[in-house]
Structure formats: structure tokens, C-alpha cells
Amino acid sequence: MEEQLAVLAATAANTVVSSLSTDAWARVKELVVGVWRRHRPDEASAAESATDAALDVLRDSPSDEEESRLVEAWQERFRALLDAEPAARRALDALVDELAAERGEPDDAPAQRIDMHAEAKDGGTVYQAGRDMHVKPT
């Protein structure tokens, strides 16, 4: 169950960030803030501020690196929400489905949720992504 919530948080983060850079940004904000109002009303204004800040970043410097940072930040936010309010799972599922529909993704589009498992051993490194991934050598 823990992995499913992590996948949902990642999917929602990717969907929200990619949808914020479209003309539907106002609807994205409405849906995101609505999730917090229903499940963590005391944090709704923070969610609204975070949505506005993400929108500003995407408008001002829409680089892949900035987008990746936003996805990570939203993934953490959604994960914290799900940890505090497991019932928010249905609301996040609905948010992802509605935004996918508004972006015109057909019903037969590839699944939005991806179940990935990996294990690194002996100093190995695993990279997994449900969408674009940019890896910089260290």
C-alpha cells in the first residue's frame, strides 16, 4: 500500500506541474486547493501559495531542471497529504483523472500510474521515472 501511495503522489505531481504550464492553470489551481480544503483545510492557503509559486516559476523560467524541482516538491506535498489523510487518495485519483481529461488525453492513453520496483546492491544505482528523467553525472 505504501508503494501505491508513493506512485499516486508522483503521478499527481507530474500531472499538476505539466498541467500548470497550459491554459488550464486556473482549473489546476482550483482542483489542487480543493483537495486541501476537503482534507487539510488549515493548509489550503499554503497549497494555494505553492500553486501560485509553481505557476510563477513555470512562466518565468520553464526549464527542465526547474520543472523537475517543482515535480519533486509537489510529490513531497502530496505524499505528506496522503500520510496525514489517507482518505485524500480518492481526491488525488480524481484530480489526476480530471486533469488528464482536460488535457485531452484519450481514454486509451497509456496508464497514468506506473508500478516500478528496483533494488540496488553492492553500491549500484537505480534510476526510475514515470516520465522524463534527466540524470547528471556526479
Side-chain angles (χ1 to χ4, degrees):
M1 185 63 137
E2 183 76 19
E3 287 181 38
Q4 291 174 342
L5 295 179
V7 169
L8 176 57
T11 301
N14 277 307
T15 302
V16 164
V17 172
S18 63
S19 296
L20 274 174
S21 60
T22 69
D23 290 338
W25 65 267
R27 180 68 178 141
V28 175
K29 179 178 173 179
E30 177 185 333
L31 290 170
V32 168
V33 174
V35 169
W36 261 270
R37 281 192 182 122
R38 281 188 301 279
H39 296 282
R40 303 290 285 184
D42 56 318
E43 298 172 11
S45 62
E48 184 171 9
S49 295
T51 306
D52 289 336
L55 183 58
D56 288 343
V57 168
L58 290 169
R59 285 181 176 160
D60 295 339
S61 59
S63 69
D64 290 343
E65 186 175 315
E66 287 296 326
E67 187 173 328
S68 293
R69 284 189 196 133
L70 288 172
V71 169
E72 288 175 17
W74 277 103
Q75 185 172 349
E76 289 176 24
R77 263 185 212 96
F78 287 131
R79 187 57 207 216
L81 174 66
L82 290 167
D83 286 344
E85 297 289 334
R89 180 180 184 164
R90 287 187 183 152
L92 282 184
D93 276 329
L95 179 143
V96 169
D97 291 344
E98 184 166 339
L99 291 177
E102 287 189 16
R103 287 179 17 202
E105 294 177 8
D107 291 338
D108 61 348
Q112 290 293 318
R113 290 166 191 83
I114 300 169
D115 189 19
M116 296 186 284
H117 302 274
E119 185 176 328
K121 293 184 179 183
D122 300 324
T125 303
V126 174
Y127 299 98
Q128 292 183 307
R131 194 167 167 250
D132 301 341
M133 178 186 290
H134 304 279
V135 179
K136 294 182 181 178
T138 56

mmCIF file of all heavy atoms in Angstrom, residues 10 23 33 44 72 101 132 137-138:
data_model
loop_
_atom_site.group_PDB
_atom_site.id
_atom_site.type_symbol
_atom_site.label_atom_id
_atom_site.label_comp_id
_atom_site.label_asym_id
_atom_site.label_seq_id
_atom_site.Cartn_x
_atom_site.Cartn_y
_atom_site.Cartn_z
ATOM 1 N N ALA A 10 3.538 10.708 -6.966
ATOM 2 C CA ALA A 10 4.381 11.042 -8.122
ATOM 3 C C ALA A 10 3.531 11.355 -9.351
ATOM 4 O O ALA A 10 3.803 12.321 -10.076
ATOM 5 C CB ALA A 10 5.345 9.895 -8.412
ATOM 6 N N ASP A 23 -3.037 26.326 -20.626
ATOM 7 C CA ASP A 23 -4.076 27.344 -20.428
ATOM 8 C C ASP A 23 -5.048 26.962 -19.319
ATOM 9 O O ASP A 23 -5.826 27.800 -18.861
ATOM 10 C CB ASP A 23 -4.854 27.556 -21.730
ATOM 11 C CG ASP A 23 -4.016 28.236 -22.797
ATOM 12 O OD1 ASP A 23 -3.019 28.900 -22.439
ATOM 13 O OD2 ASP A 23 -4.347 28.097 -23.982
ATOM 14 N N VAL A 33 -6.207 23.183 -4.714
ATOM 15 C CA VAL A 33 -6.635 23.833 -3.469
ATOM 16 C C VAL A 33 -7.882 23.137 -2.918
ATOM 17 O O VAL A 33 -8.019 22.966 -1.705
ATOM 18 C CB VAL A 33 -6.858 25.343 -3.690
ATOM 19 C CG1 VAL A 33 -7.441 25.999 -2.451
ATOM 20 C CG2 VAL A 33 -5.537 26.009 -4.080
ATOM 21 N N ALA A 44 -4.854 24.809 3.333
ATOM 22 C CA ALA A 44 -5.331 25.183 1.998
ATOM 23 C C ALA A 44 -4.654 26.443 1.474
ATOM 24 O O ALA A 44 -4.304 26.521 0.295
ATOM 25 C CB ALA A 44 -6.850 25.361 2.010
ATOM 26 N N GLU A 72 9.303 17.358 -7.882
ATOM 27 C CA GLU A 72 9.772 16.787 -6.613
ATOM 28 C C GLU A 72 9.085 17.446 -5.424
ATOM 29 O O GLU A 72 8.672 16.765 -4.482
ATOM 30 C CB GLU A 72 11.287 16.951 -6.496
ATOM 31 C CG GLU A 72 12.075 16.047 -7.409
ATOM 32 C CD GLU A 72 13.566 16.329 -7.354
ATOM 33 O OE1 GLU A 72 14.035 16.989 -6.395
ATOM 34 O OE2 GLU A 72 14.275 15.885 -8.280
ATOM 35 N N ALA A 101 -8.215 14.332 -18.500
ATOM 36 C CA ALA A 101 -9.342 14.527 -19.408
ATOM 37 C C ALA A 101 -9.330 15.942 -19.987
ATOM 38 O O ALA A 101 -9.571 16.137 -21.177
ATOM 39 C CB ALA A 101 -10.658 14.266 -18.682
ATOM 40 N N ASP A 132 9.752 11.942 -17.982
ATOM 41 C CA ASP A 132 11.102 12.362 -18.361
ATOM 42 C C ASP A 132 12.050 12.251 -17.180
ATOM 43 O O ASP A 132 11.674 12.487 -16.040
ATOM 44 C CB ASP A 132 11.102 13.815 -18.833
ATOM 45 C CG ASP A 132 10.190 14.033 -20.028
ATOM 46 O OD1 ASP A 132 9.860 13.033 -20.686
ATOM 47 O OD2 ASP A 132 9.831 15.187 -20.282
ATOM 48 N N PRO A 137 25.798 13.252 -14.366
ATOM 49 C CA PRO A 137 26.864 12.523 -13.690
ATOM 50 C C PRO A 137 27.446 13.362 -12.550
ATOM 51 O O PRO A 137 27.501 14.585 -12.647
ATOM 52 C CB PRO A 137 27.906 12.275 -14.779
ATOM 53 C CG PRO A 137 27.489 13.092 -15.943
ATOM 54 C CD PRO A 137 26.103 13.583 -15.732
ATOM 55 N N THR A 138 27.840 12.695 -11.489
ATOM 56 C CA THR A 138 28.419 13.415 -10.345
ATOM 57 C C THR A 138 29.903 13.263 -10.307
ATOM 58 O O THR A 138 30.497 12.462 -10.903
ATOM 59 C CB THR A 138 27.821 12.897 -9.025
ATOM 60 O OG1 THR A 138 28.038 11.500 -8.940
ATOM 61 C CG2 THR A 138 26.362 13.224 -8.968
#
